[in-house]
Amino acid sequence: MRVALRNITKRFGTTLALENISLEVGDGELLALVGPSGCGKTTILRLIAGFETPDAGDILFNDQSVLGVPPERRGVGLVFQNYALFPHMNVFQNVAYGLKFVTSPLAPPLKGEGVGGRSCVQELLDLVGLKGLEHRMPAELSAGQQQRVALARALAPNPKVLLLDEPLSALDAKLRERLRLEIKKIQRSLKITTLYVTHDQEEALAVADRVAVMSVAHIEQIGPPQEVYHAPATEFVARFIGRGNLVTGQIVGRDGESLVISVGGKMIRARSAYGKLRQSVTVLVRPERIHINQPAENILMGTIRGIEFAGDTLWVHVEAAGTTLIAKANALDTTLHEGDIVQVGFATSDISLVPSDQRSPPTPSQEPSQR
Ligand SMILES: Nc1ncnc2c1ncn2[C@@H]1O[C@H](COP(=O)(O)OP(=O)(O)O)[C@@H](O)[C@H]1O
Ligand SMILES: [Mg+2]
């Protein structure tokens, strides 16, 4: 099933929750919706599920509008952060309960107990890794197991679209990492079109075929995880996704394939077709692209101001070119110390120029004169 939002606007009183949003999810694709709290992620899922009606725009399943279709007939499965299992039903009954509800107008109707009887529930419990636990009550399950039950219950009616709203947010970090991979595996094996909402950018990059990065009421960029990470379309995306060094510079010249950019009075070269002389630009260098005390096309002298130990990684904070750059170094590197004067190096191709945010206030010189 393909899902499309076309020019969707949604208000709650005076709050503009979504402004002219368009997006498409391909058949069998997992699209992660990621953005800060309150940006409108849940609202998108509620619109697709049919719990909310848009003020403008259309929602299409395989090119057919579903705006007139009630939630129970949209063929959509839902999983929320707080599992919401029935406490008085055991695992088997919770999953079987799912069978009675969501039905899709576009899928063959469920025939009472026939479709998805005992064997279907059993298969689902297998799929989500709960084999043997069918008689447990929710209170006897760990948080992760409860969320597996919720997933099996959502999948029981064989929905054509799966909506996951921060499904792992209530779980601890280790479990989150394991379950997100399992969810992805299950989603792949079922080839079910999925929207996966999270506020955790790392989780989004890990699970998604494509990621939609949202700021308040807007989609900033939609693309494969690598693209969103390496070629952020806006400064917002560059800041939100991954750990990055964003510095302002000015284009002062061109040198063959490269632009020469002045950053804090130091010249660096970036391979980019984009950019005009004297234009201000935002330069992005990811910490893993910075090499300390090694030969490189661009070298800045700096001083180590701090070192964070993170297991296999050292995050090295270096003051250079009037700013602080974070470099990712190997934790086995024992040569780095606070106060050291070091060379910060990176290649011309390891720099991305990020278009400045369109929605940030224009500088006076850009303002059309109206008087
Ligand atoms: N039922 C509602 N009534 C009033 N405001 C709402 C309602 N649902 C959401 N909002 C508002 O819409 C915006 C987007 O909310 P939501 O979609 O829940 O964001 P997210 O899931 O990204 O945290 C927020 O400002 C929120 O307060
Ligand atoms: Mg939400």
Side-chain angles (χ1 to χ4, degrees):
M1 180 78 74
R2 279 172 290 118
V3 175
L5 270 64
R6 294 271 155 78
N7 306 102
I8 292 288
T9 293
K10 179 68 185 173
R11 286 189 181 79
F12 295 104
T14 56
T15 305
L16 183 58
L18 299 173
E19 185 178 14
N20 198 23
I21 293 252
S22 294
L23 65 83
E24 282 188 30
V25 195
D27 189 28
E29 184 180 34
L30 193 161
L31 180 82
L33 276 174
V34 65
S37 177
C39 70
K41 304 181 296 294
T42 295
T43 303
I44 289 183
L45 296 195
R46 291 178 58 80
L47 285 161
I48 294 171
F51 301 136
E52 301 286 355
T53 312
D55 296 319
D58 204 353
I59 298 172
L60 310 167
F61 285 9
N62 280 351
D63 302 320
Q64 274 185 291
S65 178
V66 292
L67 286 188
V69 180
E72 68 278 9
R73 300 197 58 80
R74 288 197 186 184
V76 166
L78 291 155
V79 178
F80 297 104
Q81 176 180 335
N82 54 337
Y83 358 103
L85 302 180
F86 300 109
H88 58 287
M89 292 185 187
N90 68 23
V91 167
F92 187 93
Q93 290 162 333
N94 262 286
V95 176
Y97 181 91
L99 289 172
K100 302 196 192 120
F101 287 85
V102 192
T103 55
S104 164
L106 305 157
L110 298 172
K111 298 181 210 80
E113 292 289 300
V115 183
R118 175 158 295 275
S119 71
C120 168
V121 174
Q122 214 66 60
E123 265 173 44
L124 280 166
L125 290 175
D126 261 17
L127 184 72
V128 300
L130 289 175
K131 199 178 188 164
L133 298 183
E134 35 284 80
H135 300 296
R136 291 268 188 97
M137 301 304 281
E140 299 167 330
L141 299 173
S142 70
Q145 289 169 330
Q146 289 185 48
Q147 198 56 314
R148 289 167 198 264
V149 179
L151 180 61
R153 188 176 62 182
L155 293 171
N158 193 23
K160 296 293 167 269
V161 178
L162 180 62
L163 305 177
L164 305 169
D165 195 352
E166 313 231 8
L168 307 180
S169 295
L171 310 178
D172 65 62
K174 273 269 154 25
L175 192 55
R176 276 207 307 273
E177 277 179 31
R178 215 175 77 209
L179 269 184
R180 76 189 184 200
L181 291 180
E182 280 189 40
I183 289 179
K184 183 175 182 163
K185 238 170 82 186
I186 292 167
Q187 184 269 339
R188 285 253 170 96
S189 73
L190 298 174
K191 300 186 177 65
I192 183 171
T193 306
T194 301
L195 277 98
Y196 187 119
V197 161
T198 175
H199 62 267
D200 179 345
Q201 51 91 21
E202 192 192 311
E203 189 173 305
L205 297 178
V207 298
D209 296 313
R210 284 188 309 150
V211 178
V213 184
M214 293 185 69
S215 61
V216 178
H218 290 275
I219 292 178
E220 295 274 328
Q221 183 173 8
I222 303 186
Q226 290 81 357
E227 191 177 303
V228 166
Y229 184 82
H230 290 297
T234 65
E235 214 176 304
F236 180 89
V237 175
R239 285 185 199 285
F240 193 79
I241 300 288
R243 206 159 174 173
N245 297 293
L246 279 167
V247 293
T248 309
Q250 196 184 30
I251 299 174
V252 294
R254 186 167 263 293
D255 178 9
E257 297 274 279
S258 303
L259 292 173
V260 182
I261 300 167
S262 163
V263 174
K266 308 287 177 210
M267 299 305 149
I268 60 172
R269 284 169 167 72
R271 202 160 299 160
S272 173
Y274 149 98
K276 298 193 297 280
L277 201 63
R278 274 185 285 283
Q279 188 188 349
S280 278
V281 287
T282 301
V283 176
L284 169 69
V285 193
R286 294 290 184 192
E288 68 273 20
R289 301 298 174 120
I290 296 185
H291 305 286
I292 295 177
N293 292 338
Q294 282 169 36
E297 288 168 295
N298 285 298
I299 298 242
L300 298 170
M301 294 309 292
T303 308
I304 297 182
R305 292 300 181 201
I307 298 178
E308 284 174 73
F309 175 70
D312 56 352
T313 298
L314 295 179
W315 299 103
V316 185
H317 298 243
V318 185
E319 195 181 311
T323 184
T324 299
L325 300 172
I326 298 174
K328 185 178 180 182
N330 193 306
L332 301 176
D333 188 339
T334 53
T335 64
L336 306 173
H337 304 281
E338 219 171 297
D340 285 359
I341 300 203
V342 291
Q343 291 185 348
V344 178
F346 43 90
T348 55
S349 56
D350 285 341
I351 302 175
S352 313
L353 298 188
V354 183
S356 34
D357 276 347
Q358 292 95 2
R359 274 186 301 284
S360 56
T363 57
S365 64
Q366 292 172 321
E367 254 168 12
S369 57
Q370 289 176 340
R371 268 153 282 165

